[in-house]
């Protein structure tokens, strides 16, 4: 997704000279190869908080702004600026991050960010997108025309399935009236089960838009007794979005990342192995939940 992003935004600039891209000292080489010496591209270095304020000022002057940096730096470090400069004033600024969750695992806690979506979705007036592959990234950026602040989390991971997506809508990948279990998968996490969809005796919903959350899709599954969530954020990040839409008691099993600091050295894959978050382990966990009465 990171490699495709410069070209997607360059196409926007060619069609609209009011599109401005601000970089937080990430992707500078890749963007420069595509943009050259364009006056629509600026590297703001590691001044992320100032970058958000600068972006707000551009948006006030009718610019369509895209801000790109690493997730912990552009979300956690800039939370107050996002809240006040963007969301409160409904500025047309689109934040795009890379390196969410543990993708920069080797660089330590400063570069970990499993909580980005959980904290941002509590703010009013912001839309949140979680594309699962290049096609979804391009589609969501094209469809995002609300003029509100937005956050798009890129990933180095991706799934290989292709189906039409629509901003603000989920995709029903499988519907079984006989099953009392609903599996809800978010973004690139679909890769964990994509080769086993036909073998899972379960209803499956897929979300590439987190906010606005497509709660209407859940109306088709009011008969279920168990809901499994599969994602790469801290456990609990998305539970309220689901539970508030069910009047009766429904058991929610949340397969996400444990709420802890990942302070042992290793790659994302190493960290996932330590917490039993591999494709095989996840599939086994899902199968056990399906069999539970």
């Amino acid at each position: 997704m990171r490699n495709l992003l410069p070209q997607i935004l360059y196409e926007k600039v060619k069609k609209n000279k009011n599109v401005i891209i601000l970089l937080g000292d990430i992707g500078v080489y890749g963007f420069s190869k595509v943009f050259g010496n364009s006056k629509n591209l600026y590297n703001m270095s590691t001044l992320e908080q100032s970058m958000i304020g600068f972006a707000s000022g551009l948006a006030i002057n009718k610019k369509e702004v895209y801000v790109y940096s690493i997730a912990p730096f552009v979300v956690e470090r800039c939370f107050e600026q996002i809240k006040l400069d963007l969301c409160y004033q409904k500025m047309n600024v689109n934040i795009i991050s890379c390196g969410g969750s543990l993708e920069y695992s080797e660089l330590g806690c400063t570069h970990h960010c499993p909580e980005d979506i959980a904290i941002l979705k509590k703010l009013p007036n912001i839309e949140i997108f979680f594309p699962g592959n290049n096609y979804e990234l391009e589609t969501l950026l094209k469809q995002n025309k609300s003029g509100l602040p937005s956050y798009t989390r890129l990933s180095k991971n991706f799934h290989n399935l292709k189906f039409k997506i629509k901003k603000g809508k989920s995709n029903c990948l499988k519907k079984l009236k006989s099953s009392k279990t609903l599996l809800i998968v978010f973004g690139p996490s679909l890769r964990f089960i994509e080769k086993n969809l036909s073998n899972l005796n379960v209803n499956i919903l897929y979300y590439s838009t987190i906010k606005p959350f497509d709660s209407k899709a859940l109306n088709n599954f009011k008969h279920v007794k168990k809901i499994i969530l599969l994602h790469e954020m801290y456990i609990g990040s998305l539970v309220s979005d689901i539970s508030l839409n069910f009047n009766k008691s429904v058991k929610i099993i949340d397969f996400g990342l444990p709420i802890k600091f990942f302070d042992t050295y290793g790659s994302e894959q190493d960290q996932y192995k330590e917490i039993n978050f591999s494709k095989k382990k996840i599939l086994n966990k899902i199968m056990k939940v399906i069999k539970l009465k």
Side-chain angles (χ1 to χ4, degrees), residues 192 196 276-287:
F192 291 117
N196 299 96
N276 296 319
F277 208 70
S278 64
K279 290 183 180 181
K280 184 177 180 180
K281 296 286 187 180
I282 289 172
L283 185 62
N284 288 339
K285 290 178 182 179
I286 292 173
M287 297 297 289

Side-chain angles (χ1 to χ4, degrees), residues 1 8 128-144 152-153 159-173 185-188 190 205-210 214:
M1 294 185 215
I8 294 175
I128 301 175
F129 310 111
F130 198 6
N133 55 32
N134 283 344
Y135 160 74
E136 293 178 14
L137 169 62
E138 189 168 11
T139 302
L140 289 168
L141 288 182
K142 283 182 179 178
Q143 293 180 355
N144 183 21
T152 302
R153 187 212 259 199
H159 67 79
N160 295 292
L161 302 181
K162 187 172 181 179
F163 38 80
K164 288 185 178 181
I165 64 165
K166 187 176 180 181
K167 172 191 165 184
K169 298 293 182 182
S170 62
N171 292 82
C172 183
L173 303 185
V185 191
F186 299 86
L190 185 58
L205 274 180
Y206 172 76
Y207 282 81
S208 54
T209 297
I210 305 296
D214 183 14

